[in-house]
Amino acid sequence: MNFSLGQLALIVVIYLMTLFTIAIISEKGWLPKNLLANPLIYTLSMGAAASAWTFYGVVDLAYQYGYGALAYYLGMGALFFFAPLLLAPLVELSERFHIRSFADLMVFRFHSQAAGSLTTLFMLAALLPMLALQIQVVADTVQIMSPTPKVSEYLKQLPYKETSAFIYCILLASFTVLFGKSWDRQKGLLVAMAFESLLKVSALLIIGYTAIYQVFGGFGNLDQWLLDHPDTFSMLQNPIKEDSAHTLLLVFLASAVTLPQLFQMSGEGLNTRDMAAKLSWSFPLFLLLMALPIFPIMWASMATGVTLPAQYFTLGLPMALESPTLTIIAFVGGLSAATGATIVIIISLATMILNHWVLPLIQIRQDNLYQQISRLRSALIFVLFLAGFGFYRLLNNNFSLTELALIYFIGSLQFLPATISITFWPNINRKGFISGLILGTTIWFLGLLLPSISSIYKIVIPFADTEIPLGVEHWQYITPLSLVLNFLAMHFVSAATRTSKEEKYSAELCADDELSHPLRMVFESHNVQDFINNLAEVLGKNSARKEVNQALKDLDLTTRERRPYALRQLRNQLEINLSGLMGTAMATELINKHIPYMLPDGKGSSDINLIESRLSQYRTQLSGLAVELDNLRIFHRNTLEELPMATCSIGQDMEIIMWNNAMETLTQISSKAVVGSHLNNLDQPWKTLLHNFSLSPERHNYKHQLNINDQKRWVSLHKASIRAPVANNNDGKVILVEDITNIMRLEQELMHSERLASIGRLAAGVAHEIGNPVTGIACLAQNLKHETDLDDIHEIGEQVLGQTERISRIVQSLVTFSHTGKQEGHYNFESISPFDCAAEAIQLLNLNRDNKQIQFINTIDTSLTIKGDSQRLIQVFINLLSNARDASSELSEVELTSTTTSQHAYLHITDSGEGISEESQSRAFEPFFTSKDPGQGTGLGLAMVYSIIEEHNGQIEIESPPIGKDCGTCITIKLPL
């Protein structure tokens, strides 16, 4: 069964267009968000690791090693089975720091540009055989399905084999450029890779189903066929007993460590640990589905006499069954496997080469930064496709798919020790990593890669008269040798050399402990504009502003941000975003150069805010004692937050670490606005007050007066030093601010009351002294009145008597008002006239000529009487009429009226002032509340009025403005008759 080249080309184009359309639809957001966020998408996208070798070559592996071929699935499956332990830390690092490639990860871990450059070089060398494998599969399958003189000699027949492979590379390069030149399109690419995985696993399952039920007629007949062919059954069991089959497990165990898909998973909004937990069972299930059809396809091909090599049984079986549909399904499945793996490999290599070879060597133009990087990545993608095609031509089809896969897997195995060191071996340094990688890769290169591209198949040792055989047929000896020497060199060199402070810091960041990075960094930039200006020197003003604004958006910060803690977050986010653009090494170098900070020594201050934010983020993942400790932390934190006294803590560098709720209420400054900022960034008067007190040697500062919003307040300050166990040093201070304003006002009021009492006692004595001469004057005036008949003298006598009576009434009022009264609950309640009480209050207020001249109109019913204490009621009228006078304008009127019901009397005091606001009305009777200017009132008058009326079993209400008026206030007193 043959297909024309035009038909095959059409199938390839339709498949690529379908893949392109799926990616576009995903990027445009036309698919449901729930579908895009489903872990199944990421599981299937990881399936891109199952390349064309998995689709075709594993059958050849099963043909050679029997059940030993299962080592591939067991190895990869075991790695993902332990994903929460092995892969989750890598994915979390890539998510947190936007690490986009394996080379970036090595740079981040070992704080070395050389580590990234060497990783890129050796990764390129290891991946070239895998690229050649994918191209070879497409070229071979096109050759197999197209007309040839002799199918058995298809590998030697090249009518258009290289041409079809080259055209395929160009088409795929164009597609890869569209979705590989920018990392902003990873969502579309991931969905496309998920579709590719779904397609190839479906194709394998369909072919496997056909093999079982169409070739054998069911599992029963398959069992019988195996019994009838014992040589086939023994072929499956014998190779697994050999050492080479066991080495396969080690090779494939590390095959997924360097998968580019691990770094594509970051930044898509999923919980990485949750994702790792799901991958631990979902990806092994995917591998199981891929493994199920392998042996049935091999047995069915042997039963039907497929003449193709075992590595192409998956395609040869449908052709032997003369099923065009099944043949196309097999071809598309293999094409899909080759395409997905190639795209991911090329994008990963292009990114690593750009970030670690090209960008460090060229001068970036500031005017078109993003366009320049995009063009460079596109050019690298085409160059890598051409390099893969060139390597494929260099091999000249001399190696099977299994041999090419083994060369790749053993090459990538050299990165396994370094990968483990990221999480579990923090003592490994860059020199150890580079030494081990060079030694292991050199053995791999000499033993496997060099013989594949040259005629060197042995190394002769002259003095020992010994020959060391080379080549892929000796892979089972080269693999453990290279890996063991890699491991030993890495550890011995690391132990023998010094590890820098930067490497130790990076190792802490990569450790499994998510609470690393505990120190507060210090740098010179003080605001967002400083960041823009510093980055503009290398990125250009527009690019710098765009990157800073994007980082601010990611952190939900504003351009007005000045807090050191927030600026540290901004710096880290900028480094993360630039790492995605130009790689970790170059981004770190750029940020360190233009926004530098100093790594504090062992006595530095702990970044408590960062530690607490990470604890909150990972709280659901804690267990056992860690949960109890975190609960204790939260309890203590809440205790400080809810403490009724205003409390703040500051670091050694004067950075605010904690600002509790009472502090927010007292200062009217939110915790979110000040935590992480310096004391010098606070508003006055708190800036000077707290900063000076924190620097002073005094531990207490009592009765400090402040002027806040033109109002006087008093506070007492207390402080204590905090010795932090993390840094073993004096890490800061805690300051308590006690608001004593009410206490100070109460003291002033008590002093004022004492002065009034003293004046009252003095007034009583003066009144008695004045009374005697006034009585004498009255007597003389009366005698003068009766001793003369002159009218003028009579009139003068009457006037003198009238004035003496007035003096007597005033003196009596002063004496009466100076009376302190009795204890609460023992007032002298008697029948009194509200009119008389109001009149006497008016008379006393009129004695003060310094206040406004107000006319008091007393129209209270003179016949109205109530039960009460007259002195207390006079005090009520004095306070209310005094407030009414203060609120009224000059020469205005204050009216006193009354109404009655069958049981109550209502006394109304109405002025024509500006009135009282609703907020003030609700608080008018609270102690120490006053709307008057500072020094004009204590805020106790209405509180005392309320208390007196309440003691008389009455009520008091405020209405402002009164019904029917536009201004003024009416105070109504309700008293029982």
Side-chain angles (χ1 to χ4, degrees), residues 803-875:
Q803 294 303 318
T804 56
E805 289 177 1
R806 182 182 177 192
I807 291 173
S808 297
R809 288 196 305 271
I810 292 173
V811 169
Q812 183 61 40
S813 295
L814 287 173
V815 172
T816 304
F817 187 69
S818 66
H819 179 64
T820 58
K822 299 182 181 181
Q823 294 297 322
E824 183 180 354
H826 297 84
Y827 297 139
N828 185 21
F829 277 29
E830 57 186 3
S831 181
I832 60 174
S833 169
F835 175 85
D836 294 338
C837 294
E840 189 163 350
I842 292 171
Q843 182 180 359
L844 289 172
L845 289 173
N846 285 333
L847 292 177
N848 188 353
R849 298 297 180 179
D850 294 334
N851 287 322
K852 299 175 185 177
Q853 296 304 308
I854 299 295
Q855 184 177 0
F856 295 102
I857 302 175
N858 185 3
T859 60
I860 296 176
D861 187 356
T862 55
S863 63
L864 178 63
T865 60
I866 61 172
K867 288 288 185 178
D869 187 319
S870 61
Q871 297 307 312
R872 291 287 183 177
L873 202 57
I874 290 172
Q875 194 170 5

Side-chain angles (χ1 to χ4, degrees), residues 518-806:
L519 302 179
R520 281 202 299 273
M521 306 304 174
V522 180
F523 48 85
E524 297 179 354
S525 300
H526 300 297
N527 53 55
V528 174
Q529 189 60 44
D530 287 348
F531 281 70
I532 297 175
N533 294 339
N534 293 343
L535 291 177
E537 298 175 8
V538 62
L539 300 181
K541 189 173 182 180
N542 292 333
S543 299
R545 187 177 300 278
K546 181 178 179 180
E547 289 297 328
V548 171
N549 288 337
Q550 181 59 47
L552 289 171
K553 182 180 179 181
D554 294 340
L555 297 171
D556 194 22
L557 298 176
T558 67
T559 55
R560 300 185 298 274
E561 192 61 68
R562 297 178 59 89
R563 294 177 296 158
Y565 172 62
L567 294 180
R568 288 197 299 272
Q569 287 183 302
L570 178 60
R571 184 190 185 279
N572 291 338
Q573 190 64 41
L574 277 170
E575 185 174 353
I576 288 170
N577 292 352
L578 289 174
S579 295
L581 179 67
M582 59 185 63
T584 300
M586 190 168 182
T588 302
E589 180 182 356
L590 186 152
I591 291 294
N592 288 341
K593 180 178 180 180
H594 296 276
I595 313 178
Y597 62 67
M598 298 178 294
L599 273 175
D601 56 21
K603 296 183 179 179
S605 299
S606 302
D607 197 336
I608 303 298
N609 296 310
L610 180 59
I611 293 175
E612 288 205 328
S613 66
R614 290 191 178 173
L615 277 172
S616 300
Q617 181 179 1
Y618 294 100
R619 188 167 189 268
T620 57
Q621 300 162 18
L622 301 178
S623 61
L625 182 60
V627 174
E628 300 301 326
L629 290 174
D630 191 52
N631 289 336
L632 185 62
R633 173 192 68 84
I634 294 174
F635 176 78
H636 288 159
R637 162 63 75 172
N638 292 339
T639 299
L640 292 174
E641 290 287 352
E642 301 301 329
L643 197 69
M645 183 177 290
T647 306
C648 70
S649 60
I650 58 176
Q652 197 175 29
D653 53 359
M654 295 300 172
E655 182 176 325
I656 299 173
I657 298 173
M658 192 270 295
W659 191 268
N660 76 346
N661 297 334
M663 199 73 171
E664 289 185 345
T665 303
L666 175 63
T667 62
Q668 297 299 305
I669 302 174
S670 69
S671 173
K672 184 178 180 180
V674 297
V675 168
S677 65
H678 283 120
L679 285 178
N680 287 333
N681 292 334
L682 292 175
D683 296 331
Q684 295 289 13
W686 307 106
K687 171 183 175 180
T688 302
L689 175 68
L690 296 178
H691 186 266
N692 292 344
F693 180 64
S694 66
L695 296 178
S696 70
E698 303 295 332
R699 298 176 66 86
H700 306 279
N701 184 355
Y702 295 103
K703 297 183 179 180
H704 187 93
Q705 183 176 321
L706 300 173
N707 188 2
I708 302 175
N709 298 329
D710 296 328
Q711 292 186 357
K712 291 182 180 179
R713 298 187 73 89
W714 290 265
V715 295
S716 291
L717 296 98
H718 318 274
K719 72 179 177 184
S721 297
I722 303 175
R723 189 166 297 277
V726 176
N728 294 321
N729 190 34
N730 188 345
D731 202 42
K733 303 178 181 69
V734 59
I735 297 177
L736 282 73
V737 184
E738 183 181 6
D739 186 3
I740 58 172
T741 302
N742 290 344
I743 296 176
M744 292 298 297
R745 287 178 178 173
L746 181 59
E747 289 181 357
Q748 292 178 353
E749 182 62 25
L750 290 174
M751 294 170 61
H752 180 62
S753 299
E754 182 61 28
R755 289 195 299 269
L756 288 179
S758 298
I759 292 173
R761 290 190 294 271
L762 178 63
V766 170
H768 286 294
E769 293 298 326
I770 292 176
N772 292 330
V774 168
T775 301
I777 293 172
C779 291
L780 291 175
Q782 194 169 11
N783 290 338
L784 183 64
K785 177 181 175 182
H786 292 289
E787 290 176 358
T788 181
D789 295 330
L790 296 175
D791 293 338
D792 292 342
I793 299 299
H794 275 278
E795 184 177 352
I796 290 173
E798 290 289 343
Q799 291 177 354
V800 171
L801 285 173
Q803 294 303 318
T804 56
E805 289 177 1
R806 182 182 177 192

Side-chain angles (χ1 to χ4, degrees), residues 444-458:
W444 165 80
F445 176 80
L446 295 176
L448 298 179
L449 187 61
L450 183 62
S452 67
I453 57 177
S454 68
S455 58
I456 301 175
Y457 295 103
K458 62 182 178 179

Side-chain angles (χ1 to χ4, degrees), residues 18 33 37 78 183 241 245 252 308 396 456 493 510 540 552 575 646 664 685 887 895 917 921 975:
T18 303
K33 293 183 178 180
W183 279 102
K241 299 177 183 178
F252 297 132
L308 293 175
N396 198 28
I456 301 175
V493 173
C510 295
L552 289 171
E575 185 174 353
E664 289 185 345
E895 185 178 3
S917 66
Q921 288 181 44
L975 294 169

Side-chain angles (χ1 to χ4, degrees), residues 361-419:
L361 298 178
I362 67 172
Q363 182 68 32
I364 299 178
R365 295 193 300 273
Q366 299 180 2
D367 54 343
N368 58 351
L369 171 66
Y370 303 105
Q371 186 178 8
Q372 183 181 4
I373 291 178
S374 177
R375 288 175 177 175
L376 287 172
R377 184 175 282 118
S378 299
L380 284 173
I381 288 173
F382 272 101
V383 169
L384 286 171
F385 267 104
L386 293 177
F389 177 77
F391 192 77
Y392 157 72
R393 286 290 298 119
L394 182 64
L395 296 177
N396 198 28
N397 269 85
N398 291 325
F399 297 92
S400 68
L401 303 183
T402 299
E403 291 171 336
L404 291 176
L406 286 174
I407 295 174
Y408 157 69
F409 285 131
I410 299 170
S412 65
L413 186 63
Q414 305 309 313
F415 296 100
L416 179 61
T419 304

